[in-house]
Amino acid sequence: MFKSGYRQRDIIRINKRNNAEDGGNPNANGGKGTAVPIPTTSADLCHINVSGKQYITTHSCLQQYPLTLLGSNDKELFWIPELKSYYFNRNRDCFESILTFYQTGREFRPLSVDDDIYEAERKFFRIEMKKRAADTAIPLGDSLDAPAICCEGDWKSTKKQVHKFLMDPRCSNWATAWHIMDILFICTSITLLVMETDHNVKDAFKEGHAAYNYLFGLNVLVIAFFTTDLLIRFVTWPGLLNFWKNLFNILDILSILPFYVSLIAEAFEDPTAVQQQEHKSYVVLRVCRIFRIVRVSSLSDIHKI
């Protein structure tokens, strides 16, 4: 399926918004990035293939930035007659952000791509962004509050990095190792769940059995890992309300909830009765652990672990 950055109504909306920001002057900022040119003929359409994915934009849109690769005649080196398009064997997620720059004049970095990869793609397409002084300058009148501002910025940056570490396996080797360990613990958890419901081996999960201590210790280790992962995600998640809107976060809570409920119940009730009640009432919640496989497999497909 062909993908063209913005639809007609989106282009009109962006034009109105940018003209309003520039005081109604369509030639503000040197006439660059203030409006997305609407193609008048099919000859103005530009077909770009990035690693097998087709994009359609306009030559006039790209030529707003003649110093860039796509805005200059250098892109003709990448023309493939058989494909009838310009072919680039580059990162597709990064290219969507680069194409957005041509259409809006603004930079939107992809959240799912490492900064080093994005910078390499940006340099390849010769996209140069000037950093505004307002992004780094601190007003003199607020100089006394500068340390607090810096600390707040450091905390937000740390939260973002930790959240990316947990959600993006490609951000570092440690993140990849963490997600692999997550998959191993999920497989272990599901194995324990199957064993606990199997009539041939479920007796091993009862106190007094020779293997009980080993299986209980392994279960505690699995729950401790899931709890740590969940708490860190809760602290670093962008927005408390957004955390509860994520289905996988709810499923993760439900998957570890039976363990803590059983511990609390054992402190006030007979352990044997608790085990029977736990087996009848909480085994359904433990099945939620299986959904963790769906979450990690989706990450594996997106980020290609």
Side-chain angles (χ1 to χ4, degrees):
M1 181 178 293
F2 294 106
K3 179 174 182 177
S4 74
Y6 286 88
R7 293 173 295 181
Q8 180 91 358
R9 61 181 183 182
D10 295 327
I11 294 174
I12 297 175
R13 177 174 54 82
I14 292 173
N15 290 344
K16 291 181 179 179
R17 182 190 64 188
N18 291 334
N19 289 338
E21 293 177 356
D22 297 332
N25 181 11
N27 296 320
N29 298 327
K32 295 182 179 181
T34 59
V36 179
I38 301 176
T40 56
T41 62
S42 59
D44 192 34
L45 294 178
C46 179
H47 297 257
I48 302 176
N49 188 308
V50 181
S51 299
K53 190 172 184 178
Q54 191 80 4
Y55 297 86
I56 303 178
T57 183
T58 63
H59 289 284
S60 55
C61 177
L62 302 177
Q63 291 170 359
Q64 294 180 109
Y65 303 90
L67 298 181
T68 63
L69 175 59
L70 298 180
S72 65
N73 292 329
D74 294 343
K75 68 176 180 293
E76 300 301 329
L77 298 174
F78 299 90
W79 175 258
I80 305 296
E82 292 78 7
L83 298 177
K84 296 182 179 180
S85 61
Y86 301 94
Y87 178 79
F88 297 92
N89 187 24
R90 311 298 300 188
N91 187 284
R92 291 183 294 190
D93 293 335
C94 292
F95 183 79
E96 292 183 3
S97 296
I98 291 172
L99 184 59
T100 302
F101 164 75
Y102 282 99
Q103 296 168 330
T104 66
R106 294 174 174 83
E107 184 181 28
F108 297 95
R109 291 174 176 263
L111 298 178
S112 60
V113 179
D114 186 76
D115 291 339
D116 295 337
I117 297 177
Y118 175 73
E119 290 298 325
E121 295 296 309
R122 192 168 60 84
K123 290 180 180 179
F124 174 82
F125 288 101
R126 302 203 295 261
I127 304 294
E128 297 293 337
M129 297 294 297
K130 294 182 179 180
K131 195 169 185 179
R132 296 176 300 175
D135 293 338
T136 56
I138 299 177
L140 295 178
D142 298 334
S143 59
L144 295 178
D145 300 330
I149 295 175
C150 294
C151 293
E152 182 180 358
D154 292 341
W155 168 241
K156 290 182 178 180
S157 177
T158 302
K159 283 181 59 177
K160 184 177 180 180
Q161 292 178 2
V162 174
H163 181 73
K164 186 176 182 180
F165 172 86
L166 295 175
M167 303 304 295
D168 186 0
R170 288 183 54 185
C171 69
S172 67
N173 293 332
W174 288 105
T176 303
W178 179 271
H179 280 77
I180 292 176
M181 189 163 53
D182 191 9
I183 295 175
L184 293 178
F185 274 111
I186 291 173
C187 295
T188 302
S189 175
I190 295 176
T191 302
L192 292 175
L193 176 62
V194 173
M195 292 175 60
E196 194 171 355
T197 55
D198 190 342
H199 295 285
N200 298 324
V201 295
K202 68 177 183 178
D203 292 338
F205 290 87
K206 297 181 180 180
E207 290 189 27
H209 195 277
Y212 172 78
N213 291 333
Y214 299 101
L215 294 175
F216 181 78
L218 182 60
N219 190 34
V220 170
L221 180 62
V222 171
I223 294 297
F225 177 85
F226 290 162
T227 303
T228 302
D229 180 80
L230 182 62
L231 289 177
I232 297 177
R233 276 190 283 125
F234 177 78
V235 174
T236 61
W237 201 271
L240 180 60
L241 183 60
N242 293 331
F243 176 86
W244 296 105
K245 290 181 178 179
N246 187 284
L247 176 62
F248 290 112
N249 291 335
I250 304 299
L251 293 176
D252 287 345
I253 294 175
L254 294 178
S255 67
I256 65 176
L257 185 62
F259 177 82
Y260 293 104
V261 171
S262 63
L263 289 182
I264 296 175
E266 286 179 2
F268 300 97
E269 300 179 13
D270 179 57
T272 303
V274 170
Q275 288 182 357
Q276 294 177 355
Q277 182 67 20
E278 180 189 19
H279 176 74
K280 294 179 180 179
S281 304
Y282 303 144
V283 68
V284 177
L285 291 179
R286 291 183 176 181
V287 177
C288 292
R289 298 175 184 174
I290 300 177
F291 290 99
R292 293 182 63 91
I293 284 286
V294 179
R295 180 174 66 86
V296 176
S297 64
S298 63
L299 288 173
S300 303
D301 179 66
I302 294 174
H303 302 292
K304 301 179 179 62
I305 296 181

